[in-house]
Amino acid sequence: MKKIARYFKECVLEMKKVSWPAKGEVIHSTWVVIISTIVFAVVLGLVDTVLGLCLDLIF
């Protein structure tokens, strides 16, 4: 039981040391992830379509 209590005390101490990002940084990073995901999905969709058309021409 003492080990569990010590574990949680150490967790709290470590969480106090964490440098949390500002709200603006989080919003900016979120937009970067959303936009890069959309761009990657579009590129992957185009590659899939082109390869599918090529395979239809071959077979």
Side-chain angles (χ1 to χ4, degrees):
M1 191 69 169
K2 289 182 182 181
K3 288 183 180 182
I4 294 173
R6 190 179 85 216
Y7 170 78
F8 283 110
K9 285 179 186 178
E10 289 176 2
C11 285
V12 170
L13 289 174
E14 287 298 320
M15 292 303 286
K16 289 180 181 178
K17 295 178 186 178
V18 174
S19 173
W20 298 102
K23 182 179 178 181
E25 288 180 81
V26 173
I27 292 171
H28 177 68
S29 297
T30 302
W31 278 114
V32 168
V33 169
I34 290 170
I35 291 170
S36 61
T37 301
I38 291 170
V39 168
F40 185 73
V42 168
V43 169
L44 192 60
L46 289 173
V47 169
D48 182 49
T49 302
V50 169
L51 289 176
L53 291 173
C54 290
L55 286 174
D56 285 343
L57 290 174
I58 293 172
F59 298 108

